Amino acid sequence: MEFFRETNIDWLGKKWYFLGFSLIFSVAGLLSILFWHHIPLGVDFKGGTQIRVAFTQQPNEDHIRHAMDAAGIHQATIQRISDPSGQAANKVIIGLPEAADTAHDTGRQRVESALAENYHDSGFTIEQVEIVGPTAGKQLQRQAEWATLYSLIGMLVYLWFRFELIYGVAAVVAVFHDTLITVGAFSLTNQDITLTVIAAILTLIGYSMNDTIVVFDRIRENLGVSRREPLHDLVNRSINQTLSRTVISSGLTFLTVLSLYLFGGEVLHGFSFALVIGILIGTYSSIAVAAPMLVAYQEWRAKRGKTVALPAAKKRAQT
């Protein structure tokens, strides 16, 4: 099945627009990470108590914050649950940092008392309490960082052996770009990064890498039969030849994760949000980041009088 037949889009001719688009979103996310919301780690990683409260009417967050301050809970974070369906409009999450492992019920009791004093007329229900000790949270954070780093190194080594080092570097840079924008989106919207979000980020790393490999594979195949064609044209042709496959596979995957985001409920919200952003950015980067980087590297080599031909084409020619 093909959506596009004989397309002839000059993707590389639009590389400066792509660069501008990537810079805007990357810098916005980076500024938020550095100076605004930072990386909003959930209770899973930073430790503490997270209490989900459902009110009978839509609550005022400032009112809740004043109630916590009046009860002596000065470092509480108040976060309204983001739910596109609107079913969770009356629910908020109250976060208390660094709960002691031995005082599991203390945070809940203090929050319950503060709310009971201020919301005795409108009513509320504590739906869920999650507690993670600071030691366990730090350990999980380190494990998540190592898992992400190991996955990137493994993919770099795999692409190095299957193609050439420059292919692996271009793919890893594209995936890093995807991860930065996704984490930046969480920072900009101040949504907690939990263990399920890390699982989603690892999933999108694999998805984006697979999309990039499809384009690289077609470039290598075309190099084997059209070695005299300018690399700029050959890469453009390769991207156009894989465009239908990219749109169909990414489009269907996007519809699935979008359904999960809209109807999956609060438990899957962070996971599905990461995948919605990741599928879009991962598909974009395989065309707009990885392939142009490959061409830019070859042009840089050519300016220094080095061989322009891609190593993968040499291997095929020798066989």
Side-chain angles (χ1 to χ4, degrees):
M1 180 177 179
E2 283 188 314
F3 276 169
F4 308 102
R5 291 180 183 274
E6 300 180 0
T7 53
N8 188 27
I9 301 172
D10 182 12
W11 298 100
L12 295 180
K14 298 173 177 56
K15 60 185 177 185
W16 297 116
Y17 296 105
F18 293 145
L19 181 62
F21 177 86
S22 295
L23 276 178
I24 288 172
F25 283 91
S26 299
V27 170
L30 203 56
L31 289 177
S32 179
I33 290 171
L34 292 176
F35 303 111
W36 194 21
H37 290 138
H38 308 289
I39 296 180
L41 297 175
V43 170
D44 295 350
F45 297 115
K46 64 184 179 185
T49 304
Q50 199 171 60
I51 303 169
R52 187 166 68 186
V53 185
F55 293 86
T56 54
Q57 299 175 356
Q58 189 164 333
N60 182 297
E61 291 167 64
D62 289 336
H63 191 191
I64 297 174
R65 190 168 289 106
H66 288 315
M68 296 297 114
D69 286 338
I73 310 172
H74 300 297
Q75 294 183 317
T77 58
I78 315 298
Q79 182 182 359
R80 187 181 296 278
I81 294 178
S82 176
D83 182 3
S85 66
Q87 296 176 354
N90 295 347
K91 299 179 181 180
V92 297
I93 294 175
I94 300 174
L96 307 178
E98 297 182 357
D101 292 339
T102 56
H104 286 179
D105 292 330
T106 304
R108 172 181 178 147
Q109 291 170 358
R110 295 180 66 191
V111 169
E112 197 166 13
S113 299
L115 293 178
E117 191 171 332
N118 290 272
Y119 288 89
H120 56 275
D121 291 332
S122 55
F124 67 91
T125 305
I126 293 183
E127 292 189 332
Q128 186 179 15
V129 179
E130 294 182 18
I131 301 171
V132 176
T135 304
K138 288 290 181 187
Q139 186 176 358
L140 287 173
Q141 184 178 342
R142 281 196 298 273
Q143 289 174 343
E145 290 169 354
W146 281 114
T148 306
L149 183 62
Y150 286 147
S151 67
L152 291 177
I153 293 174
M155 290 176 184
L156 175 64
V157 172
Y158 168 73
L159 288 176
W160 187 355
F161 279 100
R162 182 172 173 182
F163 296 92
E164 284 294 336
L165 180 59
I166 182 57
Y167 285 81
V169 172
V172 168
V173 169
V175 166
F176 180 78
H177 158 276
D178 303 342
T179 306
L180 176 62
I181 290 180
T182 304
V183 173
F186 272 85
S187 179
L188 286 168
T189 56
N190 198 24
Q191 296 188 56
D192 283 349
I193 294 180
T194 62
L195 282 174
T196 57
V197 172
I198 295 298
I201 289 175
L202 291 173
T203 303
L204 78 88
I205 285 175
Y207 184 89
S208 175
M209 190 67 74
N210 180 64
D211 232 21
T212 303
I213 287 174
V214 169
V215 176
F216 283 176
D217 237 351
R218 183 55 59 96
I219 291 174
R220 184 172 63 172
E221 288 175 10
N222 288 333
L223 279 169
V225 296
S226 306
R227 297 184 62 199
R228 294 187 177 181
E229 183 179 2
L231 185 61
H232 179 283
D233 297 340
L234 187 142
V235 171
N236 266 332
R237 186 159 61 86
S238 302
I239 295 174
N240 284 318
Q241 287 173 345
T242 57
L243 192 59
S244 281
R245 178 264 173 205
T246 301
V247 170
I248 291 172
S249 61
S250 299
L252 290 176
T253 309
F254 177 75
L255 288 178
T256 304
V257 296
L258 184 63
S259 300
L260 204 61
Y261 176 70
L262 293 176
F263 308 113
E266 174 58 26
V267 175
L268 295 175
H269 184 265
F271 178 81
S272 54
F273 179 70
L275 287 179
V276 166
I277 300 292
I279 296 298
L280 290 174
I281 297 299
T283 305
Y284 157 81
S285 70
S286 64
I287 295 174
V289 177
M293 188 176 297
L294 206 61
V295 177
Y297 171 75
Q298 297 301 338
E299 290 176 349
W300 175 79
R301 284 176 61 88
K303 286 180 181 176
R304 281 154 180 76
K306 298 181 179 179
T307 307
V308 177
L310 291 176
K314 286 181 179 178
K315 284 181 178 179
R316 181 173 284 259
Q318 290 168 358
T319 58

